[in-house]
Amino acid sequence: MWEFLGGSLSLRIAVTLSLVLTVILLVFIFVATNVLRSDLFSTRRDMILADAAVRFSQVQNTLDQSTAVTTDQVQDAVTQTLTAIRESAAGAGAVEVLLLRSPDSSEAFRINEYVNPEYISVIGGGIRDELAHDVGLWQSVALANGADTIPGIIVGALIDVPYAGPYEMFVVYSLEQEQSTLNSIIQVFTVGSVPVLLLMGLVSFVLVYRLLSPVRAAAGAARSLAAGNLSSRLRVSGRDEMAQLGATFNDMAESLQSKITDYDSLSKLQQSFVSDVSHELRTPMTTIRMADEVIFDDRDALPPASKRSAELLHVEVARFEQMLADLLEISRYDAQSAQFDPESADIYSLVEKVVSANAELADHLGVEVQLGPRPERCSVPVDAIRIERVVRNLLVNACEYSEGMPVRVTVAAGKTSVAIRVRDYGVGMEADTVRRVFDRFYRANPARTRSTGGTGLGLAISKEDVTLHNGVINAWGEPGRGSSFVVTLPRVAGSAVTEFPLIVWEDHA
Amino acid sequence: MTPRILVVDDDASLAEMIGIVLRAEGFEVFECFDGAEAFEVFESCDPHLVLLDVMLPGRSGIQICEDIRQVSNVPIIMLTARSDTADVVAGLEAGADDYVPKPFKPKELVARIRARLRSQNDAGEEQLVLGDLAIDQSRHEVRRGDEVVPLTPLEFDLLVALARAPWRVFTREELLEQVWGYRHAADTRLVNVHVQRLRSKIERDAESPSLVITVRGVGYRAGTGS
């Protein structure tokens, strides 16, 4: 229930207020009816006592003036008197009159008791004992009324019956009238409080709901802001706390918007700069490249110094071109303008293709490249050009540093990811190198120098390429034991890698 | 006959360098450094192929491409410094047959030029029929009834490649190899753009093509025309 209400502060407050009000009303009804009850009771009791006193003295007077002498005569007189009294007292709420022989009486002369068996039971022993010593006592009793009981009062007095001595006379009064009055009052209270409660709940809900409307508007605006609608603002009116909230929110949104617009324009500037540099550098690069090819092709016709120069120029132009391409690629990542259009590709075939494309280089370096067996189901959505670039980069690096030892390339498929491992058994890497191997332009210790000059950006780009696929690239190496690089790609484009089908280093298992 | 090639590039050094390389390969080369003059030079020298830089002062390569396509089906190869932007697609849509991203190797450029020139020369003798189209390979002509459907040589080659094996689905890579002469995988946008252009010329309703059918996830195949 509370969880259900958790979503709406207004509803929660309305329910809480209603519950509190219910308790207050219950206490009020309880106290009020109690006060009323005792008030009604004491008023009625006083009336009853006054009425009873009159009845008793009437009976006593009548009996005192009676001329009856025989038992039968006395009996008749008593019966007549009591019957008359019973009828006349009915108007005052009396329901029965009884006359019992006092248990203390020792007179031999006795008359029949005037008794209604229905009521005899309500006259407890207590009042009779006390009556022996006193006059005009009363007691609260419960009178049977069908299945229910109704409150009543009995009043007793000792009556001196001629010749027969003291008899106990009781008048039974019913408080049915008072009880029903009280009941109707309780009923009115209870029935009346239900609409009050409902109204209270409703009113408090509406009030709080309206009070909270700026908060709801703020939440909506914040949501819209988070969704990228930077121009979303709150309408602010008045000067209360809610208006301050709105104004502060608007200030925040304003500064956020201007910051983001700044960054946006900076980023656009950066992108167009990269693009411009790309165009400006590529055209002269093309000319240089073509001139270099022409000179290089004719190098045999040149004198030795010029020929060697032509060869050096050729190698360095190629390197320069690669560096330019790498720089542009990494700036594209920095400008976050790298596009990612994954298409399902068989990773093993992709690796196979890269291995055979680089067979010549491996031969040249005297390195045997061993490609592991084909795993089942190794298709993954990838940008094939990028992943080929990553594999080529790792493979060429491994061949460069393997010192003639074989290079092992393994592809493995897991349930949610596919991994490629390129492992060499050459010079290896220091711990510091392992940590920084993906840094831009990072050069490891002199032991790790290469024959063909790299650009220093290859692994940095590989890491970006893999990250673009939401993949993970890990490296490990130990001096003298070689290096290992593992690329793990998720099977579902965009989901994170949670499973690693290949471990980076055998000791890490 | 020496093939004539028009090189349009505002960078004089590059245009001259390309001239040196192409002359060494036995081509006759005309150079133009200004986009505004390109069309005049084109009309005066009537080249067999045009190399066109995308970014030009005066008139952009894309506009020149459109101008030339108004009057000629000559092969056009764009030279572009921005292979990763919309420029390439815009150039192809304007009617260029192929593009070479800068910086390129001279051999690569020559290979691309030869691939485009060859397609005009070594046509087969077969008469092919695709739907309601009659393809006359020797005359390099496509007819619908009595009406000639004008196609560029590249579009013609693309249509012939598909029509020769109507039962077969070609991947974009296969078409790149067969029609463009690429040995390695290249930009498959080339295929997509030219299939669109081809459809706009031969299909009765380019929105629901019946002659060149897309096979999702694979490539294209010839349709029956119905």
Side-chain angles (χ1 to χ4, degrees):
Chain A
M1 163 83 165
W2 209 240
E3 264 170 44
F4 162 73
L5 292 174
S8 164
L9 190 59
S10 321
L11 205 57
R12 210 156 63 211
I13 289 177
V15 168
T16 311
L17 278 179
S18 299
L19 284 177
V20 169
L21 193 69
T22 309
V23 171
I24 290 173
L25 277 175
L26 284 177
V27 169
F28 169 74
I29 291 174
F30 180 75
V31 171
T33 51
N34 267 344
V35 169
L36 211 58
R37 185 202 310 276
S38 67
D39 219 36
L40 274 172
F41 180 79
S42 62
T43 311
R44 177 74 174 121
R45 185 200 56 208
D46 291 349
M47 281 170 60
I48 286 171
L49 288 179
D51 183 75
V54 173
R55 305 295 171 203
F56 291 138
S57 64
Q58 272 180 356
V59 170
Q60 193 62 65
N61 282 342
T62 313
L63 290 181
D64 284 351
Q65 289 162 18
S66 168
T67 51
V69 284
T70 65
T71 311
D72 283 348
Q73 282 172 334
V74 171
Q75 183 76 60
D76 279 353
V78 165
T79 307
Q80 262 175 28
T81 312
L82 287 180
T83 306
I85 286 296
R86 192 180 146 208
E87 269 156 29
S88 69
V95 289
E96 193 54 270
V97 176
L98 298 97
L99 189 73
L100 306 173
R101 185 181 157 90
S102 175
D104 301 338
S105 175
S106 51
E107 294 287 339
F109 187 100
R110 56 166 62 206
I111 56 169
N112 286 337
E113 293 181 332
Y114 187 88
V115 167
N116 181 339
E118 202 183 317
Y119 288 97
I120 190 76
S121 61
V122 302
I123 299 166
I127 193 167
R128 296 192 67 183
D129 287 346
E130 283 176 55
L131 211 55
H133 314 289
D134 209 341
V135 225
L137 278 177
W138 65 274
Q139 190 181 34
S140 275
V141 290
L143 303 175
N145 177 23
D148 281 341
T149 59
I150 52 171
I153 290 178
I154 51 173
V155 189
L158 282 176
I159 299 291
D160 197 24
V161 179
Y163 309 108
Y167 267 71
E168 295 167 357
M169 174 177 165
F170 296 99
V171 186
V172 182
Y173 291 90
S174 160
L175 268 61
E176 191 178 7
Q177 196 66 45
E178 283 68 27
Q179 182 65 50
S180 84
T181 307
L182 198 65
N183 283 347
S184 347
I185 289 171
I186 292 175
Q187 209 172 358
V188 166
F189 274 151
T190 317
V191 171
S193 60
V194 170
V196 169
L197 277 174
L198 287 179
L199 203 66
M200 175 72 188
L202 194 68
V203 166
S204 56
F205 176 78
V206 169
L207 271 181
V208 176
Y209 190 82
R210 289 199 47 183
L211 193 70
L212 287 180
S213 78
V215 175
R216 271 195 310 282
R223 230 186 341 265
S224 140
L225 201 67
N229 177 16
L230 292 176
S231 57
S232 112
R233 294 286 183 280
L234 285 174
R235 224 182 29 237
V236 177
S237 59
R239 295 196 323 199
D240 57 8
E241 292 87 341
M242 289 302 179
Q244 283 173 24
L245 169 71
T248 315
F249 178 90
N250 285 350
D251 288 351
M252 184 197 75
E254 190 68 43
S255 85
L256 202 63
Q257 186 177 23
S258 76
K259 278 263 160 40
I260 287 176
T261 314
D262 283 357
Y263 284 136
D264 256 14
S265 58
L266 267 178
S267 160
K268 286 213 178 70
L269 200 69
Q270 157 96 351
Q271 281 177 39
S272 76
F273 178 75
V274 167
S275 182
D276 292 346
V277 164
S278 136
H279 184 244
E280 296 306 320
L281 285 183
R282 280 180 182 202
T283 301
M285 192 64 221
T286 311
T287 314
I288 293 169
R289 180 78 193 249
M290 296 182 89
D292 163 58
E293 293 276 340
V294 170
I295 297 170
F296 185 73
D297 287 348
D298 287 344
R299 65 188 180 282
D300 289 337
L302 299 172
S306 301
K307 181 185 173 184
R308 183 63 194 140
S309 301
E311 285 166 358
L312 288 174
L313 180 71
H314 186 66
V315 171
E316 292 309 305
V317 164
R319 186 174 164 202
F320 188 69
E321 194 186 324
Q322 184 58 49
M323 209 177 277
L324 178 64
D326 282 0
L327 267 173
L328 289 171
E329 190 60 35
I330 208 118
S331 359
R332 214 171 279 146
Y333 273 118
D334 288 348
Q336 297 191 333
S337 62
Q339 286 174 357
F340 180 48
D341 309 308
E343 262 186 59
S344 187
D346 183 290
I347 295 298
Y348 191 81
S349 304
L350 184 149
V351 170
E352 222 172 12
K353 194 167 128 191
V354 174
V355 168
S356 69
N358 289 280
E360 203 178 317
L361 175 78
D363 272 359
H364 176 72
L365 292 168
V367 176
E368 185 198 350
V369 178
Q370 304 169 340
L371 179 58
R374 167 187 282 276
E376 275 180 36
R377 290 185 66 242
C378 57
S379 272
V380 173
V382 291
D383 182 332
I385 293 175
R386 288 199 161 89
I387 295 302
E388 275 172 26
R389 176 163 71 191
V390 171
V391 176
R392 181 172 56 246
N393 199 3
L394 297 179
L395 181 66
V396 170
N397 279 350
C399 290
E400 295 275 355
Y401 299 124
S402 71
E403 300 188 311
M405 303 282 282
V407 169
R408 281 200 191 129
V409 183
T410 317
V411 179
K415 241 190 192 64
T416 61
S417 56
V418 171
I420 309 160
R421 180 171 59 206
V422 180
R423 173 79 162 94
D424 71 68
Y425 298 89
V427 290
M429 296 187 284
E430 304 276 354
D432 186 51
T433 311
V434 168
R435 229 180 357 262
R436 301 185 53 193
V437 76
F438 295 111
D439 290 0
R440 293 170 192 186
F441 296 117
Y442 176 71
R443 294 287 183 195
N445 58 49
R448 222 177 140 77
T449 48
R450 52 193 305 164
S451 51
T452 61
T455 63
L457 285 168
L459 284 174
I461 292 174
S462 293
K463 190 176 171 69
E464 297 283 4
D465 282 337
V466 173
T467 309
L468 189 69
H469 288 76
N470 257 6
V472 177
I473 184 165
N474 292 309
W476 192 260
E478 279 173 25
R481 293 187 59 193
S483 313
S484 176
F485 289 83
V486 175
V487 173
T488 312
L489 300 168
R491 279 192 188 276
V492 178
S495 69
V497 170
T498 51
E499 183 197 16
F500 294 88
L502 285 175
I503 53 163
V504 183
W505 197 252
E506 54 269 28
D507 298 355
H508 293 179
Chain B
M1 184 193 65
T2 316
R4 291 186 300 280
I5 295 176
L6 172 62
V7 180
V8 185
D9 197 312
D10 62 312
D11 190 290
S13 308
L14 180 59
E16 195 185 337
M17 195 65 233
I18 291 173
I20 292 171
V21 168
L22 293 186
R23 280 186 194 100
E25 294 287 333
F27 297 107
E28 189 181 349
V29 181
F30 297 86
E31 285 151 17
C32 173
F33 310 128
D34 188 347
E37 296 167 14
F39 191 66
E40 274 174 54
V41 179
F42 169 79
E43 286 191 311
S44 66
C45 70
D46 186 27
H48 296 95
L49 186 141
V50 180
L51 286 179
L52 194 55
D53 188 14
V54 179
M55 303 274 280
L56 284 171
R59 200 158 169 75
S60 87
I62 290 163
Q63 287 169 311
I64 296 169
C65 200
E66 282 166 352
D67 295 346
I68 294 176
R69 275 284 170 266
Q70 297 284 323
V71 298
S72 166
N73 282 330
V74 65
I76 301 174
I77 298 176
M78 307 284 281
L79 304 179
T80 169
R82 300 179 178 184
S83 57
D84 58 339
T85 62
D87 284 13
V88 168
V89 175
L92 294 174
E93 280 171 349
D97 297 289
D98 199 353
Y99 76 95
V100 182
K102 294 177 185 177
F104 44 81
K105 294 177 188 156
K107 290 189 184 69
E108 193 186 331
L109 179 68
V110 172
R112 300 259 58 78
I113 292 172
R114 290 206 188 285
R116 291 275 47 81
L117 290 175
R118 184 169 47 243
S119 73
Q120 286 171 300
N121 300 327
D122 58 30
E125 295 297 317
E126 286 173 86
Q127 296 281 323
L128 295 169
V129 173
L130 180 65
D132 54 353
L133 294 179
I135 305 167
D136 183 339
Q137 290 198 72
S138 54
R139 293 168 66 184
H140 239 258
E141 202 175 74
V142 176
R143 282 177 182 276
R144 168 171 277 134
D146 293 332
E147 199 185 332
V148 174
V149 181
L151 293 181
T152 68
L154 183 110
E155 287 155 5
F156 186 84
D157 291 350
L158 186 58
L159 183 62
V160 167
L162 291 168
R164 267 183 184 157
W167 60 90
R168 202 181 134 190
V169 179
F170 289 87
T171 65
R172 292 175 177 81
E173 286 76 13
E174 282 168 337
L175 289 171
L176 275 173
E177 192 180 332
Q178 208 164 322
V179 179
W180 277 264
Y182 280 99
R183 295 241 174 75
H184 307 293
D187 191 347
T188 50
R189 286 180 300 182
L190 281 173
V191 185
N192 299 344
V193 172
H194 281 98
V195 164
Q196 289 308 322
R197 285 182 64 80
L198 179 62
R199 278 177 180 161
S200 72
K201 291 181 181 176
I202 63 168
E203 296 283 357
R204 291 187 184 280
D205 178 9
E207 294 297 310
S208 53
S210 58
L211 294 170
V212 181
I213 313 287
T214 304
V215 182
R216 272 198 56 165
V218 188
Y220 300 98
R221 66 174 172 82
T224 55
S226 55

